């Protein structure tokens, strides 16, 4: 089969790195990078570090509102789908690139494969939730990380074929764990010792685009016990700079600010943190896999099993709730969630049966 894969942002490069190599053993893959993340620190580093093939096509479409960006992607993808005449299109996750890839293919009657299907926060104010729901409804093969994701799809009477395969991001994370745990240089590079620091990321539109929420985030960061390493996403950095808040953070004792990091360095920092504080979906899972307790800066999560297991506490931007959660000991049990590290193999098998 000829498969047109559409990716565009950081977590999608990681997911594609798990699947693409295996897919190419049996099929022809044409990788299209929409350009949603174009910054080297969010894009190129993942191709290099994770061995993802160079994209065959780069659309160079970044910036703008979600609607305008998705519209530009659709306009660029329509002729490409026509020209390449793929047998199927493959999309990952919940971004504008996911929705544009899925819709452009579905309109051209090309079967759509969605990896990480069925995730729901049930919060339609999140752009990601709209992208997930809409992509799922035009997909023909829905590959889910968990049983609960498959149940969401059945509850929505999805027409496509649903399979639970596990999470492809877990494949990558489990493979990198041994080296990440042993990499003492990663925390040392920031003057930190393993087991002693908090690792922080935040970039969701709901947390950084609204000035009042951004202010609350800054207050929360200031309240955290040192040392804290904050890997600042470019979107967050830009919002903090616009609001004049970067200087305030720079003067906080024991807070180390850095830009977005490569996967290998970041994984090592997750594994060796005392706790992780994040609003990222991928980072929630990775902290869980590493056995590091974590606090999620959201009122809801798609990865509800991690909350039920007692390792994840949803605090939104409530600093007191975050501090209370950080003071609790993690549970003794950590059940295996989201697969066994072989999700990509199951994806490729399911795709072969399309
Ligand atoms: N990540 C990274 N460097 C960083 C922060 C995150 O490599 O500085 C990785 C992280 O390990 C995870 C992925 O990026 O695999 C998560 O991406 P992101 O938080 O952008 O998106 P989300 O998962 O929330 O959709």
């Amino acid at each position: 089969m000829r498969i047109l894969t559409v990716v565009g942002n950081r977590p999608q490069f990681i997911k594609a790195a798990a699947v693409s190599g295996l897919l190419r053993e049996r099929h022809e893959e044409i990788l299209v990078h929409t350009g949603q993340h174009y910054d080297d620190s969010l894009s190129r580093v993942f191709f290099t570090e994770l061995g993802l093939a160079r994209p065959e096509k780069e659309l160079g479409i970044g910036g703008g509102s979600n609607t305008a960006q998705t519209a530009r992607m659709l306009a660029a993808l329509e002729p490409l789908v026509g020209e390449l005449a793929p047998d199927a299109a493959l999309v990952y996750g919940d971004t504008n690139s996911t929705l544009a890839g899925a819709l452009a293919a579905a309109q051209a009657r090309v079967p759509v494969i969605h990896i990480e299907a069925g995730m729901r926060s049930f919060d339609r104010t999140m752009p990601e939730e709209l992208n997930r729901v809409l992509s799922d409804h035009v997909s023909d093969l829905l590959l889910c990380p968990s049983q609960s994701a498959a149940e969401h799809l059945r509850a929505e009477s999805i027409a496509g074929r649903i399979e639970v395969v596990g999470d492809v991001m877990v494949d990558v994370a489990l493979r990198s764990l041994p080296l990440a745990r042993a990499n003492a240089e990663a925390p040392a590079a920031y003057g930190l010792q393993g087991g002693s620091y908090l690792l922080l990321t935040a970039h969701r539109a709901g947390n950084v685009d609204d000035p009042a929420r951004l202010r609350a985030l800054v207050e929360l960061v200031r309240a955290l016990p040192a040392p804290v390493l904050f890997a600042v996403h470019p979107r967050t950095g830009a919002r903090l700079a616009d609001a004049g808040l970067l200087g305030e953070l720079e003067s906080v004792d024991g807070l180390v600010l850095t830009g977005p990091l490569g996967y290998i360095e970041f994984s090592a920092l997750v594994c060796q943190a005392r706790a992780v504080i994040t609003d990222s979906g991928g980072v929630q899972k990775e902290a869980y896999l590493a056995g590091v307790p974590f606090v999620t800066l959201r009122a809801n999560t798609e990865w509800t099993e991690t909350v039920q297991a007692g390792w994840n506490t949803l605090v939104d931007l409530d600093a007191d709730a975050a501090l209370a959660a950080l003071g609790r000991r993690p549970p003794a049990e950590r059940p295996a969630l989201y697969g066994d590290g072989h999700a990509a193999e199951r994806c490729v098998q399911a795709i072969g049966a399309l």
Side-chain angles (χ1 to χ4, degrees):
M1 276 199 290
R2 171 181 288 179
I3 297 170
L4 178 73
T5 300
V6 181
V7 293
N9 84 344
R10 174 167 70 183
Q12 287 169 336
F13 308 139
I14 298 166
K15 292 165 198 176
V19 178
S20 178
L22 287 175
L23 195 67
R24 285 170 188 236
E25 286 175 13
R26 300 200 203 163
H27 304 286
E28 180 194 356
E29 182 185 45
I30 300 164
L31 189 66
V32 178
H33 184 337
T34 60
Q36 187 174 339
H37 278 171
Y38 44 86
D39 193 308
D40 272 0
S41 66
L42 293 182
S43 175
R44 200 163 58 90
V45 63
F46 296 93
F47 286 82
T48 323
E49 284 191 347
L50 301 175
L52 181 59
R54 277 173 62 93
E56 275 76 20
K57 301 269 176 193
E58 302 213 26
L59 304 182
I61 300 170
S65 69
N66 287 318
T67 309
Q69 191 184 79
T70 309
R72 281 155 56 219
M73 288 177 187
L74 275 170
L77 285 167
E78 183 187 16
L80 202 59
V81 172
E83 174 200 325
L84 297 170
D87 300 299
L90 171 59
V91 294
Y92 294 91
D94 54 21
T95 71
N96 298 335
S97 305
T98 315
L99 177 58
L103 190 52
Q107 294 278 27
R109 302 201 182 283
V110 170
V112 178
I113 304 153
H114 185 197
I115 291 185
E116 204 184 84
M119 300 313 295
R120 296 289 182 269
S121 65
F122 301 102
D123 176 359
R124 290 278 172 109
T125 64
M126 289 180 75
E128 295 91 343
E129 183 77 354
L130 295 176
N131 290 336
R132 290 181 193 116
V133 172
L134 296 170
S135 301
D136 281 340
H137 279 262
V138 296
S139 291
D140 297 84
L141 178 59
L142 298 106
L143 300 171
C144 303
S146 64
Q147 287 296 344
S148 63
E151 280 156 26
H152 296 148
L153 296 174
R154 292 191 189 105
E156 290 174 22
S157 304
I158 289 278
R161 195 172 99 222
I162 301 166
E163 279 192 39
V164 177
V165 290
D167 185 346
V168 297
M169 242 177 163
V170 169
D171 294 10
V172 184
L174 286 181
R175 271 204 298 274
S176 48
L177 261 181
L179 280 180
R181 285 206 168 107
N183 181 354
E185 284 157 31
Y190 298 94
L192 301 168
Q193 274 186 343
S196 72
Y197 61 92
L198 302 175
L199 178 65
L200 170 69
T201 78
H203 72 284
R204 294 257 91 77
N207 281 341
V208 304
D209 285 3
D210 172 56
R213 301 265 308 164
L214 186 66
R215 177 82 239 171
L217 173 67
V218 169
E219 290 307 323
L220 185 145
V221 176
R222 289 165 55 106
L224 293 172
V228 178
L229 178 60
F230 186 3
V232 183
H233 190 284
R235 175 191 198 108
T236 310
R239 299 295 182 275
L240 287 167
D242 291 349
L245 292 169
L246 256 187
E248 197 174 318
L249 282 183
E250 276 161 4
S251 64
V252 176
D253 266 353
L255 173 64
V256 183
L257 297 174
T258 179
L261 304 171
Y263 185 81
I264 292 171
E265 184 181 12
F266 187 76
S267 312
L269 290 165
V270 168
C271 287
Q272 296 174 59
R274 173 166 85 77
V276 167
I277 301 154
T278 190
D279 62 8
S280 155
V283 177
Q284 289 175 61
K285 282 178 286 184
E286 288 161 1
Y288 184 83
L289 290 170
V292 173
F294 54 109
V295 166
T296 298
L297 303 175
R298 290 177 46 192
N300 50 51
T301 179
E302 302 77 44
W303 306 97
T304 48
E305 292 86 352
T306 60
V307 179
Q308 285 148 15
W311 285 80
N312 184 5
T313 310
L314 302 177
V315 302
D316 199 6
L317 293 177
D318 182 335
D320 291 338
L323 294 181
L326 290 170
R328 284 196 289 274
R329 288 171 76 87
E333 300 284 308
R334 190 163 47 87
L337 300 174
Y338 314 125
D340 53 2
H342 297 282
E345 286 151 51
R346 287 188 208 98
C347 287
V348 173
Q349 215 157 26
I351 291 168
L354 189 71

